[in-house]
Amino acid sequence: MGKEKNHGKRKFSVQKLFVYLFLIAGSLASLFPFYYMFVMATRINREINQVPPPFTPGADLVSNFQKVLNNIDFFGAMWNSFFVATAVTLGTLLLCSLAGYTFAKLEFKGKAFLFTAILVTMMVPPQLGLIPQYYIITSLGWLNDFKAIIIPGLINAFGIFWMRQYIKEAVPFEIIEAARIDGCSHFRTYWNIVVPTVLPAFATLGIIVFMTVWNDFLWPLVVLRDPSMQTLQVALRSLNDARQLDYGMLMSGTFWATVPLLIVFLLFNRLFIQSLSEGAVKS
């Protein structure tokens, strides 16, 4: 018996070792593109075009970033992106969670049909709405205004679906009924009971929305013509000179544009992982 137990422990340890090695290899493979982008941001064209290419950082990180600052208002564009992404994220969290609470815990006529119609819109490519959306923005006089980016992005079908599913599973109906018996309004029930319970879902949806808005290029390019109003992704486009591509400068701007996304993820990764873990346990 003792030998069998020891053999089982050794087998289990070997299995765990292979799992850890696989996870480490996957993590390194995922981080390598970001690392190599950093390497290119520290090199000049001559070094980048070498065969074999360099895989260690160079000495031109500061000079390449200085070229970026000389060509575009990098920090101004970063502030524009941060303002727009933060506004859209906060608005999306509020509106989508309210809609999710409504579909999860309230009963009203046409509820199933309306929720199905919202889900159907997830199948429609957003590019199909580019022209009618541009016409509406033009009619409202919102060209070269952050409202043209913020207001259309305040609510999305995936956000409603995500919050509805999470609230339906995480908030027991008995608690909602008890709050109603105590005289709580729908909004007070949402604010005092639902919101504290679904913070991991807020973190997950917030990270997804913030990254999506931060990396959005097409719609800001269409509606923001004034260089002082451009977001970071649109401003970085002007670094792409067709006559001569400075890869070190391009990668330097791209690298520093990615850093805020890493900071946001690191700040909320605990709640993000908690949300995914709870979903895995419930399923």
Side-chain angles (χ1 to χ4, degrees), residues 200-215:
F202 274 103
T204 303
L205 181 60
I207 290 174
I208 294 173
V209 173
F210 189 91
M211 292 179 63
T212 301
V213 177
W214 183 275
N215 291 322

Side-chain angles (χ1 to χ4, degrees), residues 3 34-35 73 95 107 145 188 217 244 246 281:
K3 290 183 178 180
F34 184 75
Y35 169 76
D73 183 11
L95 296 178
E107 295 296 331
D145 195 315
R188 186 175 179 185
F217 172 75
Q244 182 179 3
D246 190 334
V281 171

